[in-house]
Amino acid sequence: QVQLVESGGGLVQPGGSLRLSCAASGFPLDYYVIGWFRQAPGKEREGVACLRSSDGETYYTDSAKGRFTISGDNAKNTVYLQMNSLEPEDTSTYYCAADPGYTVQALCSMTQSLLVDYWGEGTLVTVSS
């Protein structure tokens, strides 16, 4: 069974940090491009950071640059998103996605979720004092 499961979300104060995990089962992540996306209430889903596990190439959207780091552990079939200096504007449900057919930039720019092979159910991040 193919599955992506996110974890690590929660409530954090502004300026704090969280590390999200995306565990894959049923397929090897090292053949895929993996992306972290987020969606706030009333807003469209947007790409945050993407990783091609085979060679470690990464791409970050403007919202993530300098604060977030995407990384992977192929042995654990898991991708992580380290988020630092969190702001209230980062409050969203965070999703991971996987597809073998895109570049890291193309996946992170994807706005049509149906065009991406696999999605997780999401994990909620709330940044608030």
Side-chain angles (χ1 to χ4, degrees), residues 36-39 43-50 59-69 81-87 89-92 94 108:
W36 280 100
F37 294 74
R38 67 185 185 184
Q39 187 168 19
K43 295 188 177 181
E44 291 187 352
R45 190 171 299 187
E46 62 175 356
V48 175
C50 292
Y59 179 85
Y60 296 92
T61 62
D62 288 344
S63 61
K65 286 178 181 176
R67 299 188 301 131
F68 296 178
T69 303
L81 184 69
Q82 176 67 43
M83 304 187 295
N84 299 327
S85 302
L86 285 163
E87 304 166 351
E89 294 73 22
D90 296 314
T91 295
S92 289
Y94 285 72
C108 265

Side-chain angles (χ1 to χ4, degrees), residues 40-123:
K43 295 188 177 181
E44 291 187 352
R45 190 171 299 187
E46 62 175 356
V48 175
C50 292
L51 167 72
R52 184 167 59 207
S53 297
S54 60
D55 62 4
E57 183 180 5
T58 59
Y59 179 85
Y60 296 92
T61 62
D62 288 344
S63 61
K65 286 178 181 176
R67 299 188 301 131
F68 296 178
T69 303
I70 188 170
S71 62
D73 185 335
N74 289 343
K76 296 182 178 179
N77 223 31
T78 299
V79 172
Y80 306 97
L81 184 69
Q82 176 67 43
M83 304 187 295
N84 299 327
S85 302
L86 285 163
E87 304 166 351
E89 294 73 22
D90 296 314
T91 295
S92 289
T93 299
Y94 285 72
Y95 301 88
C96 66
D99 196 289
Y102 296 108
T103 65
V104 287
Q105 183 173 356
L107 181 62
C108 265
S109 303
M110 184 59 60
T111 58
Q112 301 285 339
S113 60
L114 292 178
L115 298 180
V116 178
D117 277 3
Y118 305 124
W119 288 92
E121 295 296 316
T123 185

Side-chain angles (χ1 to χ4, degrees), residues 6-11 17-22 36 83 123-125:
E6 303 94 336
S7 61
L11 174 64
S17 299
L18 278 177
R19 188 177 80 154
L20 306 182
S21 299
C22 171
W36 280 100
M83 304 187 295
T123 185
L124 178 62
V125 172

